[in-house]
Amino acid sequence: MVTAQPALTAYVVRADALTPEEREAVVELGKGDVTVHPILTRLVWSTPNWRVMLRRGDEIVSGLMLVEREIRVGDRRVKVAGVGDVGTLPQWRRRGYAGLVLERAAAFMRAELDADFGHLFCVSSLVPYYGRFGWLRVEGPSHIQAPWGPAIFPEETMVLPLRGTTWPPGEMDLKGLPW
């Protein structure tokens, strides 16, 4: 007898409208095991505007956050959707769930947020992973606001072209906290 698999549903919700269950899931998804640069533990992070969540039946198994922002790259202003907190519960990893969340986020960034690019930071070991979904590594530096003042983000920067345009050259200024 074949057992039916629970349905997978990727959806977007305003971050300020999360249910208690969704808020609890965000905390659990954030308990990743990626080794990060020590400075990252001292940063303050942007408040998300949106959350993309993936349900497997009744359980939220993967998700990410989105921050809408206009940043400066070189001498240009660029509308981005900053992607952060990409995570999948440990028992559900290596099943393509984070990829489904990234794809749903890309569609939302393009259609609903009218962003020019998705923008994320990651450790160098994850560059090939995000590259499989069309994300491109770009040269920094990326200037951010930290509790002690202006700082340069120490990890890799990647962008996802959403409008067929090329990422402009130059230093990036996130004009605020990182995501």
Side-chain angles (χ1 to χ4, degrees):
M1 181 166 142
V2 176
T3 305
Q5 295 295 317
L8 294 175
T9 306
Y11 64 99
V12 180
V13 61
R14 285 202 57 83
D16 60 5
L18 292 174
T19 66
E21 175 206 14
E22 290 165 333
R23 283 194 295 277
E24 185 178 318
V26 165
V27 171
E28 290 303 311
L29 292 171
K31 295 180 179 176
D33 58 0
V34 175
T35 302
V36 297
H37 192 283
I39 196 175
L40 300 183
T41 61
R42 298 176 31 221
L43 291 177
V44 175
W45 301 92
S46 293
T47 300
N49 300 105
W50 303 93
R51 289 279 180 178
V52 181
M53 313 290 273
L54 180 71
R55 281 189 179 276
R56 184 180 188 274
D58 293 335
E59 183 179 15
I60 296 170
V61 298
S62 190
L64 59 78
M65 72 173 213
L66 294 172
V67 175
E68 296 177 74
R69 174 119 24 107
E70 185 177 272
I71 68 171
R72 184 184 52 77
V73 183
D75 60 356
R76 290 188 45 202
R77 295 178 193 272
V78 179
K79 185 175 180 184
V80 300
V83 174
D85 289 351
V86 180
T88 301
L89 294 176
Q91 66 271 32
W92 298 111
R93 291 182 184 156
R94 304 222 178 275
R95 298 171 190 246
Y97 292 170
L100 293 173
V101 171
L102 286 164
E103 289 171 355
R104 178 66 182 99
F108 181 75
M109 290 185 288
R110 186 177 291 111
E112 301 297 323
L113 300 184
D114 197 31
D116 298 314
F117 294 89
H119 183 287
L120 65 77
F121 296 113
C122 67
V123 295
S124 58
S125 63
L126 289 176
V127 168
Y129 175 77
Y130 289 110
R132 292 195 311 238
F133 298 97
W135 291 82
L136 307 170
R137 185 182 170 280
V138 295
E139 294 297 322
S142 296
H143 298 270
I144 62 166
Q145 185 61 44
W148 56 89
I152 294 177
F153 201 87
E155 300 288 3
E156 301 287 346
T157 303
M158 298 189 79
V159 297
L160 179 67
L162 298 170
R163 304 272 167 239
T165 55
T166 302
W167 184 255
E171 294 187 3
M172 292 164 262
D173 183 350
L174 267 58
K175 302 262 184 210
L177 301 172
W179 38 77

Short mmCIF file of all heavy atoms in Angstrom, two decimals, residues 53-116:
data_model
loop_
_atom_site.label_atom_id
_atom_site.label_comp_id
_atom_site.label_asym_id
_atom_site.label_seq_id
_atom_site.Cartn_x
_atom_site.Cartn_y
_atom_site.Cartn_z
N MET A 53 7.30 30.89 3.87
CA MET A 53 7.26 29.67 4.67
C MET A 53 6.89 28.48 3.79
O MET A 53 6.16 28.64 2.80
CB MET A 53 6.21 29.79 5.79
CG MET A 53 6.24 31.09 6.58
SD MET A 53 7.66 31.25 7.63
CE MET A 53 7.06 30.44 9.08
N LEU A 54 7.36 27.29 4.18
CA LEU A 54 7.00 26.06 3.49
C LEU A 54 6.40 25.10 4.50
O LEU A 54 7.05 24.76 5.50
CB LEU A 54 8.22 25.42 2.81
CG LEU A 54 7.91 24.11 2.07
CD1 LEU A 54 7.11 24.40 0.79
CD2 LEU A 54 9.18 23.36 1.73
N ARG A 55 5.18 24.72 4.23
CA ARG A 55 4.50 23.72 5.07
C ARG A 55 4.58 22.36 4.39
O ARG A 55 4.41 22.25 3.19
CB ARG A 55 3.02 24.06 5.24
CG ARG A 55 2.73 25.12 6.24
CD ARG A 55 1.21 25.22 6.48
NE ARG A 55 0.96 26.24 7.45
CZ ARG A 55 1.02 26.05 8.77
NH1 ARG A 55 1.29 24.86 9.24
NH2 ARG A 55 0.80 27.05 9.59
N ARG A 56 4.81 21.37 5.20
CA ARG A 56 4.70 19.97 4.78
C ARG A 56 3.56 19.42 5.62
O ARG A 56 3.74 19.14 6.81
CB ARG A 56 5.99 19.21 5.04
CG ARG A 56 5.95 17.79 4.54
CD ARG A 56 7.28 17.09 4.83
NE ARG A 56 7.33 15.80 4.20
CZ ARG A 56 6.84 14.68 4.76
NH1 ARG A 56 6.29 14.72 5.96
NH2 ARG A 56 6.91 13.53 4.12
N GLY A 57 2.40 19.35 5.02
CA GLY A 57 1.21 19.01 5.79
C GLY A 57 0.93 20.11 6.80
O GLY A 57 0.79 21.26 6.45
N ASP A 58 0.91 19.75 8.08
CA ASP A 58 0.64 20.72 9.14
C ASP A 58 1.89 21.35 9.73
O ASP A 58 1.78 22.19 10.61
CB ASP A 58 -0.14 20.04 10.28
CG ASP A 58 -1.53 19.63 9.85
OD1 ASP A 58 -2.08 20.26 8.92
OD2 ASP A 58 -2.08 18.68 10.45
N GLU A 59 3.07 20.96 9.28
CA GLU A 59 4.32 21.42 9.89
C GLU A 59 5.06 22.41 9.00
O GLU A 59 5.21 22.18 7.80
CB GLU A 59 5.22 20.21 10.16
CG GLU A 59 6.51 20.54 10.86
CD GLU A 59 7.37 19.31 11.13
OE1 GLU A 59 7.12 18.24 10.53
OE2 GLU A 59 8.31 19.44 11.93
N ILE A 60 5.53 23.50 9.57
CA ILE A 60 6.38 24.44 8.84
C ILE A 60 7.79 23.88 8.90
O ILE A 60 8.35 23.69 9.98
CB ILE A 60 6.31 25.85 9.45
CG1 ILE A 60 4.88 26.40 9.32
CG2 ILE A 60 7.31 26.77 8.76
CD1 ILE A 60 4.63 27.67 10.08
N VAL A 61 8.36 23.58 7.73
CA VAL A 61 9.65 22.88 7.67
C VAL A 61 10.79 23.74 7.12
O VAL A 61 11.96 23.39 7.28
CB VAL A 61 9.54 21.57 6.86
CG1 VAL A 61 8.57 20.61 7.53
CG2 VAL A 61 9.13 21.83 5.41
N SER A 62 10.46 24.84 6.45
CA SER A 62 11.51 25.68 5.86
C SER A 62 10.98 27.10 5.71
O SER A 62 9.76 27.31 5.69
CB SER A 62 11.92 25.11 4.50
OG SER A 62 13.07 25.75 3.99
N GLY A 63 11.90 28.07 5.62
CA GLY A 63 11.45 29.44 5.45
C GLY A 63 12.61 30.40 5.28
O GLY A 63 13.79 30.02 5.36
N LEU A 64 12.27 31.64 5.03
CA LEU A 64 13.24 32.73 4.93
C LEU A 64 12.53 34.05 5.17
O LEU A 64 11.31 34.10 5.24
CB LEU A 64 13.96 32.73 3.57
CG LEU A 64 13.15 32.86 2.28
CD1 LEU A 64 12.70 34.29 2.00
CD2 LEU A 64 13.97 32.37 1.11
N MET A 65 13.33 35.10 5.35
CA MET A 65 12.77 36.43 5.53
C MET A 65 13.14 37.32 4.35
O MET A 65 14.14 37.07 3.66
CB MET A 65 13.24 37.07 6.83
CG MET A 65 14.68 37.50 6.83
SD MET A 65 15.02 38.43 8.35
CE MET A 65 16.23 39.58 7.75
N LEU A 66 12.32 38.36 4.13
CA LEU A 66 12.58 39.34 3.08
C LEU A 66 12.51 40.74 3.69
O LEU A 66 11.61 41.04 4.48
CB LEU A 66 11.53 39.24 1.97
CG LEU A 66 11.53 37.96 1.15
CD1 LEU A 66 10.32 37.93 0.22
CD2 LEU A 66 12.81 37.82 0.36
N VAL A 67 13.46 41.58 3.28
CA VAL A 67 13.52 42.97 3.70
C VAL A 67 13.50 43.82 2.44
O VAL A 67 14.35 43.65 1.57
CB VAL A 67 14.80 43.27 4.52
CG1 VAL A 67 14.90 44.75 4.85
CG2 VAL A 67 14.83 42.42 5.78
N GLU A 68 12.53 44.74 2.35
CA GLU A 68 12.48 45.65 1.21
C GLU A 68 13.36 46.85 1.50
O GLU A 68 13.26 47.45 2.56
CB GLU A 68 11.05 46.13 0.98
CG GLU A 68 10.08 45.03 0.60
CD GLU A 68 8.68 45.57 0.47
OE1 GLU A 68 8.40 46.27 -0.54
OE2 GLU A 68 7.87 45.31 1.37
N ARG A 69 14.21 47.19 0.53
CA ARG A 69 15.10 48.33 0.78
C ARG A 69 15.64 48.86 -0.55
O ARG A 69 15.89 48.11 -1.48
CB ARG A 69 16.25 47.88 1.66
CG ARG A 69 17.32 48.90 1.89
CD ARG A 69 17.57 49.34 3.31
NE ARG A 69 17.23 48.54 4.43
CZ ARG A 69 18.08 47.89 5.22
NH1 ARG A 69 19.38 47.90 4.96
NH2 ARG A 69 17.66 47.24 6.28
N GLU A 70 15.88 50.18 -0.58
CA GLU A 70 16.63 50.78 -1.67
C GLU A 70 18.04 51.00 -1.14
O GLU A 70 18.23 51.63 -0.10
CB GLU A 70 16.01 52.10 -2.10
CG GLU A 70 16.70 52.69 -3.32
CD GLU A 70 16.03 53.97 -3.79
OE1 GLU A 70 15.10 53.87 -4.61
OE2 GLU A 70 16.43 55.04 -3.33
N ILE A 71 19.02 50.44 -1.84
CA ILE A 71 20.42 50.57 -1.42
C ILE A 71 21.18 51.36 -2.47
O ILE A 71 20.65 51.65 -3.55
CB ILE A 71 21.07 49.18 -1.19
CG1 ILE A 71 21.23 48.42 -2.51
CG2 ILE A 71 20.27 48.38 -0.17
CD1 ILE A 71 22.05 47.13 -2.39
N ARG A 72 22.42 51.68 -2.14
CA ARG A 72 23.28 52.36 -3.12
C ARG A 72 24.36 51.38 -3.55
O ARG A 72 24.96 50.70 -2.74
CB ARG A 72 23.93 53.60 -2.50
CG ARG A 72 24.76 54.41 -3.50
CD ARG A 72 25.49 55.57 -2.88
NE ARG A 72 26.30 55.23 -1.71
CZ ARG A 72 27.49 54.63 -1.76
NH1 ARG A 72 28.02 54.28 -2.92
NH2 ARG A 72 28.17 54.37 -0.66
N VAL A 73 24.57 51.32 -4.86
CA VAL A 73 25.65 50.52 -5.44
C VAL A 73 26.42 51.46 -6.36
O VAL A 73 25.87 51.93 -7.36
CB VAL A 73 25.14 49.30 -6.22
CG1 VAL A 73 26.31 48.48 -6.74
CG2 VAL A 73 24.21 48.45 -5.35
N GLY A 74 27.68 51.75 -5.99
CA GLY A 74 28.42 52.76 -6.74
C GLY A 74 27.68 54.08 -6.64
O GLY A 74 27.40 54.56 -5.55
N ASP A 75 27.30 54.63 -7.79
CA ASP A 75 26.55 55.89 -7.78
C ASP A 75 25.07 55.69 -8.13
O ASP A 75 24.38 56.64 -8.45
CB ASP A 75 27.20 56.90 -8.72
CG ASP A 75 27.24 56.41 -10.17
OD1 ASP A 75 26.83 55.26 -10.43
OD2 ASP A 75 27.69 57.18 -11.04
N ARG A 76 24.60 54.45 -8.05
CA ARG A 76 23.21 54.15 -8.41
C ARG A 76 22.39 53.72 -7.20
O ARG A 76 22.91 53.11 -6.27
CB ARG A 76 23.16 53.02 -9.45
CG ARG A 76 23.68 53.46 -10.81
CD ARG A 76 23.46 52.44 -11.88
NE ARG A 76 22.12 51.86 -11.87
CZ ARG A 76 21.84 50.69 -12.42
NH1 ARG A 76 22.79 49.96 -12.99
NH2 ARG A 76 20.61 50.22 -12.40
N ARG A 77 21.10 54.01 -7.26
CA ARG A 77 20.15 53.47 -6.28
C ARG A 77 19.54 52.21 -6.88
O ARG A 77 19.16 52.21 -8.06
CB ARG A 77 19.04 54.48 -5.99
CG ARG A 77 19.55 55.73 -5.31
CD ARG A 77 18.39 56.70 -5.11
NE ARG A 77 18.84 58.01 -4.75
CZ ARG A 77 19.07 58.41 -3.51
NH1 ARG A 77 18.89 57.59 -2.52
NH2 ARG A 77 19.49 59.64 -3.28
N VAL A 78 19.45 51.17 -6.07
CA VAL A 78 18.95 49.89 -6.56
C VAL A 78 17.91 49.38 -5.57
O VAL A 78 18.15 49.32 -4.36
CB VAL A 78 20.11 48.86 -6.68
CG1 VAL A 78 19.59 47.52 -7.17
CG2 VAL A 78 21.20 49.38 -7.61
N LYS A 79 16.74 48.99 -6.10
CA LYS A 79 15.69 48.43 -5.25
C LYS A 79 15.93 46.93 -5.11
O LYS A 79 15.94 46.19 -6.10
CB LYS A 79 14.31 48.68 -5.86
CG LYS A 79 13.19 48.22 -4.96
CD LYS A 79 11.83 48.57 -5.53
CE LYS A 79 10.74 48.09 -4.60
NZ LYS A 79 9.41 48.34 -5.16
N VAL A 80 16.15 46.51 -3.85
CA VAL A 80 16.43 45.10 -3.59
C VAL A 80 15.42 44.53 -2.60
O VAL A 80 14.77 45.26 -1.85
CB VAL A 80 17.86 44.87 -3.04
CG1 VAL A 80 18.91 45.35 -4.03
CG2 VAL A 80 18.05 45.48 -1.68
N ALA A 81 15.34 43.22 -2.62
CA ALA A 81 14.67 42.47 -1.57
C ALA A 81 15.77 41.66 -0.91
O ALA A 81 16.35 40.76 -1.53
CB ALA A 81 13.58 41.57 -2.15
N GLY A 82 16.10 42.03 0.32
CA GLY A 82 17.15 41.33 1.05
C GLY A 82 16.62 40.02 1.60
O GLY A 82 15.55 39.97 2.21
N VAL A 83 17.34 38.96 1.36
CA VAL A 83 16.96 37.62 1.80
C VAL A 83 17.84 37.21 2.97
O VAL A 83 19.06 37.33 2.91
CB VAL A 83 17.12 36.60 0.65
CG1 VAL A 83 16.87 35.18 1.12
CG2 VAL A 83 16.19 36.95 -0.51
N GLY A 84 17.22 36.75 4.04
CA GLY A 84 17.96 36.29 5.20
C GLY A 84 17.24 35.16 5.89
O GLY A 84 16.11 34.80 5.54
N ASP A 85 17.89 34.61 6.89
CA ASP A 85 17.29 33.54 7.72
C ASP A 85 16.82 32.35 6.90
O ASP A 85 15.80 31.73 7.23
CB ASP A 85 16.11 34.06 8.54
CG ASP A 85 16.51 34.97 9.67
OD1 ASP A 85 17.72 35.09 9.94
OD2 ASP A 85 15.62 35.58 10.28
N VAL A 86 17.52 32.00 5.82
CA VAL A 86 17.13 30.82 5.05
C VAL A 86 17.41 29.60 5.92
O VAL A 86 18.53 29.42 6.39
CB VAL A 86 17.91 30.73 3.73
CG1 VAL A 86 17.50 29.49 2.94
CG2 VAL A 86 17.72 31.99 2.90
N GLY A 87 16.39 28.81 6.17
CA GLY A 87 16.59 27.67 7.04
C GLY A 87 15.57 26.57 6.83
O GLY A 87 14.44 26.83 6.41
N THR A 88 16.00 25.35 7.11
CA THR A 88 15.14 24.17 7.07
C THR A 88 15.39 23.38 8.34
O THR A 88 16.54 23.27 8.78
CB THR A 88 15.46 23.30 5.83
OG1 THR A 88 15.26 24.09 4.65
CG2 THR A 88 14.57 22.07 5.76
N LEU A 89 14.33 22.86 8.93
CA LEU A 89 14.49 22.03 10.12
C LEU A 89 15.44 20.87 9.81
O LEU A 89 15.39 20.30 8.71
CB LEU A 89 13.15 21.50 10.59
CG LEU A 89 12.16 22.54 11.09
CD1 LEU A 89 10.82 21.87 11.43
CD2 LEU A 89 12.70 23.27 12.32
N PRO A 90 16.33 20.53 10.75
CA PRO A 90 17.34 19.49 10.48
C PRO A 90 16.79 18.19 9.91
O PRO A 90 17.38 17.62 8.99
CB PRO A 90 18.00 19.28 11.84
CG PRO A 90 17.79 20.56 12.57
CD PRO A 90 16.46 21.08 12.09
N GLN A 91 15.69 17.72 10.43
CA GLN A 91 15.14 16.44 9.97
C GLN A 91 14.56 16.48 8.57
O GLN A 91 14.27 15.45 7.99
CB GLN A 91 14.11 15.90 10.97
CG GLN A 91 12.84 16.73 11.09
CD GLN A 91 12.92 17.82 12.14
OE1 GLN A 91 13.98 18.39 12.40
NE2 GLN A 91 11.78 18.15 12.73
N TRP A 92 14.42 17.68 8.00
CA TRP A 92 13.85 17.82 6.66
C TRP A 92 14.86 18.35 5.64
O TRP A 92 14.49 18.70 4.52
CB TRP A 92 12.62 18.73 6.70
CG TRP A 92 11.53 18.16 7.55
CD1 TRP A 92 11.09 18.63 8.75
CD2 TRP A 92 10.78 16.98 7.28
NE1 TRP A 92 10.10 17.82 9.24
CE2 TRP A 92 9.89 16.80 8.36
CE3 TRP A 92 10.76 16.06 6.24
CZ2 TRP A 92 9.00 15.74 8.41
CZ3 TRP A 92 9.87 15.00 6.30
CH2 TRP A 92 9.00 14.85 7.37
N ARG A 93 16.11 18.41 6.00
CA ARG A 93 17.14 18.92 5.07
C ARG A 93 17.44 17.90 3.97
O ARG A 93 17.15 16.72 4.10
CB ARG A 93 18.41 19.29 5.83
CG ARG A 93 18.18 20.50 6.71
CD ARG A 93 19.41 20.93 7.44
NE ARG A 93 19.05 22.04 8.33
CZ ARG A 93 19.71 22.37 9.41
NH1 ARG A 93 20.81 21.72 9.74
NH2 ARG A 93 19.31 23.38 10.15
N ARG A 94 18.05 18.41 2.90
CA ARG A 94 18.46 17.62 1.75
C ARG A 94 17.28 16.99 1.00
O ARG A 94 17.39 15.91 0.42
CB ARG A 94 19.47 16.55 2.15
CG ARG A 94 20.68 17.13 2.87
CD ARG A 94 21.95 16.48 2.39
NE ARG A 94 23.13 17.02 3.01
CZ ARG A 94 23.78 18.11 2.61
NH1 ARG A 94 23.34 18.80 1.59
NH2 ARG A 94 24.87 18.51 3.21
N ARG A 95 16.17 17.71 0.99
CA ARG A 95 14.98 17.26 0.26
C ARG A 95 14.53 18.31 -0.75
O ARG A 95 13.47 18.17 -1.36
CB ARG A 95 13.84 16.96 1.22
CG ARG A 95 14.16 15.84 2.18
CD ARG A 95 13.09 15.74 3.25
NE ARG A 95 13.49 14.84 4.31
CZ ARG A 95 12.90 13.70 4.59
NH1 ARG A 95 11.88 13.29 3.87
NH2 ARG A 95 13.33 12.96 5.59
N GLY A 96 15.28 19.41 -0.86
CA GLY A 96 14.93 20.47 -1.80
C GLY A 96 13.98 21.50 -1.24
O GLY A 96 13.50 22.37 -1.98
N TYR A 97 13.71 21.47 0.06
CA TYR A 97 12.72 22.39 0.64
C TYR A 97 13.20 23.84 0.63
O TYR A 97 12.42 24.75 0.33
CB TYR A 97 12.35 21.95 2.05
CG TYR A 97 11.56 20.65 2.10
CD1 TYR A 97 11.33 20.03 3.30
CD2 TYR A 97 11.06 20.05 0.95
CE1 TYR A 97 10.60 18.84 3.37
CE2 TYR A 97 10.34 18.88 0.99
CZ TYR A 97 10.11 18.27 2.21
OH TYR A 97 9.39 17.11 2.27
N ALA A 98 14.46 24.08 0.96
CA ALA A 98 14.97 25.46 0.91
C ALA A 98 14.91 25.99 -0.52
O ALA A 98 14.61 27.17 -0.75
CB ALA A 98 16.39 25.54 1.47
N GLY A 99 15.16 25.12 -1.49
CA GLY A 99 15.06 25.53 -2.89
C GLY A 99 13.65 25.95 -3.26
O GLY A 99 13.45 26.93 -3.99
N LEU A 100 12.65 25.24 -2.75
CA LEU A 100 11.26 25.62 -3.01
C LEU A 100 10.95 26.98 -2.41
O LEU A 100 10.25 27.81 -3.02
CB LEU A 100 10.31 24.56 -2.44
CG LEU A 100 10.33 23.19 -3.11
CD1 LEU A 100 9.46 22.21 -2.33
CD2 LEU A 100 9.90 23.28 -4.56
N VAL A 101 11.49 27.24 -1.21
CA VAL A 101 11.27 28.53 -0.56
C VAL A 101 11.96 29.64 -1.35
O VAL A 101 11.40 30.72 -1.56
CB VAL A 101 11.76 28.47 0.90
CG1 VAL A 101 11.76 29.84 1.54
CG2 VAL A 101 10.91 27.51 1.71
N LEU A 102 13.17 29.38 -1.82
CA LEU A 102 13.89 30.38 -2.62
C LEU A 102 13.15 30.69 -3.92
O LEU A 102 13.07 31.84 -4.34
CB LEU A 102 15.31 29.90 -2.93
CG LEU A 102 16.29 29.95 -1.76
CD1 LEU A 102 17.53 29.11 -2.07
CD2 LEU A 102 16.67 31.39 -1.44
N GLU A 103 12.60 29.66 -4.56
CA GLU A 103 11.85 29.87 -5.80
C GLU A 103 10.58 30.67 -5.54
O GLU A 103 10.24 31.57 -6.32
CB GLU A 103 11.53 28.53 -6.46
CG GLU A 103 12.77 27.87 -7.04
CD GLU A 103 12.52 26.45 -7.51
OE1 GLU A 103 11.41 25.90 -7.31
OE2 GLU A 103 13.47 25.86 -8.07
N ARG A 104 9.88 30.37 -4.46
CA ARG A 104 8.67 31.12 -4.13
C ARG A 104 9.02 32.58 -3.81
O ARG A 104 8.33 33.52 -4.22
CB ARG A 104 7.94 30.47 -2.95
CG ARG A 104 6.68 31.21 -2.51
CD ARG A 104 5.62 31.17 -3.61
NE ARG A 104 4.43 31.90 -3.22
CZ ARG A 104 4.16 33.16 -3.60
NH1 ARG A 104 5.01 33.83 -4.37
NH2 ARG A 104 3.06 33.75 -3.20
N ALA A 105 10.12 32.77 -3.09
CA ALA A 105 10.58 34.12 -2.77
C ALA A 105 10.92 34.89 -4.03
O ALA A 105 10.56 36.07 -4.17
CB ALA A 105 11.78 34.07 -1.83
N ALA A 106 11.61 34.26 -4.98
CA ALA A 106 11.98 34.94 -6.22
C ALA A 106 10.74 35.39 -6.99
O ALA A 106 10.69 36.53 -7.48
CB ALA A 106 12.84 34.02 -7.09
N ALA A 107 9.73 34.54 -7.07
CA ALA A 107 8.50 34.91 -7.76
C ALA A 107 7.82 36.10 -7.06
O ALA A 107 7.34 37.03 -7.72
CB ALA A 107 7.55 33.72 -7.82
N PHE A 108 7.81 36.09 -5.73
CA PHE A 108 7.20 37.17 -4.97
C PHE A 108 7.98 38.47 -5.12
O PHE A 108 7.40 39.54 -5.31
CB PHE A 108 7.12 36.76 -3.49
CG PHE A 108 6.47 37.79 -2.62
CD1 PHE A 108 5.10 37.99 -2.63
CD2 PHE A 108 7.23 38.57 -1.77
CE1 PHE A 108 4.50 38.94 -1.81
CE2 PHE A 108 6.65 39.53 -0.95
CZ PHE A 108 5.27 39.71 -0.98
N MET A 109 9.32 38.39 -5.05
CA MET A 109 10.15 39.58 -5.21
C MET A 109 9.92 40.24 -6.56
O MET A 109 9.85 41.46 -6.67
CB MET A 109 11.64 39.23 -5.05
CG MET A 109 12.04 38.86 -3.65
SD MET A 109 13.82 38.57 -3.46
CE MET A 109 14.08 37.02 -4.29
N ARG A 110 9.78 39.40 -7.58
CA ARG A 110 9.61 39.90 -8.95
C ARG A 110 8.20 40.48 -9.14
O ARG A 110 8.04 41.60 -9.61
CB ARG A 110 9.84 38.75 -9.93
CG ARG A 110 9.84 39.13 -11.38
CD ARG A 110 10.15 37.93 -12.28
NE ARG A 110 11.54 37.51 -12.13
CZ ARG A 110 11.92 36.34 -11.57
NH1 ARG A 110 11.03 35.50 -11.10
NH2 ARG A 110 13.19 36.04 -11.48
N ALA A 111 7.18 39.73 -8.76
CA ALA A 111 5.81 40.11 -9.08
C ALA A 111 5.19 41.09 -8.08
O ALA A 111 4.48 42.02 -8.49
CB ALA A 111 4.93 38.86 -9.15
N GLU A 112 5.45 40.91 -6.81
CA GLU A 112 4.76 41.70 -5.80
C GLU A 112 5.60 42.87 -5.26
O GLU A 112 5.07 43.93 -4.97
CB GLU A 112 4.32 40.82 -4.64
CG GLU A 112 3.39 39.70 -5.04
CD GLU A 112 2.07 40.18 -5.62
OE1 GLU A 112 1.54 41.20 -5.15
OE2 GLU A 112 1.58 39.54 -6.57
N LEU A 113 6.90 42.64 -5.10
CA LEU A 113 7.75 43.70 -4.54
C LEU A 113 8.35 44.59 -5.61
O LEU A 113 8.87 45.65 -5.31
CB LEU A 113 8.86 43.10 -3.69
CG LEU A 113 8.41 42.27 -2.49
CD1 LEU A 113 9.62 41.81 -1.68
CD2 LEU A 113 7.43 43.03 -1.63
N ASP A 114 8.29 44.14 -6.87
CA ASP A 114 8.84 44.90 -7.98
C ASP A 114 10.30 45.27 -7.75
O ASP A 114 10.74 46.36 -8.09
CB ASP A 114 7.99 46.15 -8.24
CG ASP A 114 8.26 46.75 -9.61
OD1 ASP A 114 8.58 45.98 -10.54
OD2 ASP A 114 8.17 47.98 -9.76
N ALA A 115 11.03 44.35 -7.12
CA ALA A 115 12.46 44.57 -6.85
C ALA A 115 13.27 44.34 -8.12
O ALA A 115 12.90 43.54 -8.98
CB ALA A 115 12.94 43.64 -5.74
N ASP A 116 14.39 45.05 -8.20
CA ASP A 116 15.31 44.84 -9.32
C ASP A 116 16.16 43.59 -9.11
O ASP A 116 16.50 42.88 -10.05
CB ASP A 116 16.23 46.05 -9.47
CG ASP A 116 15.47 47.32 -9.79
OD1 ASP A 116 14.58 47.28 -10.66
OD2 ASP A 116 15.75 48.35 -9.14
#
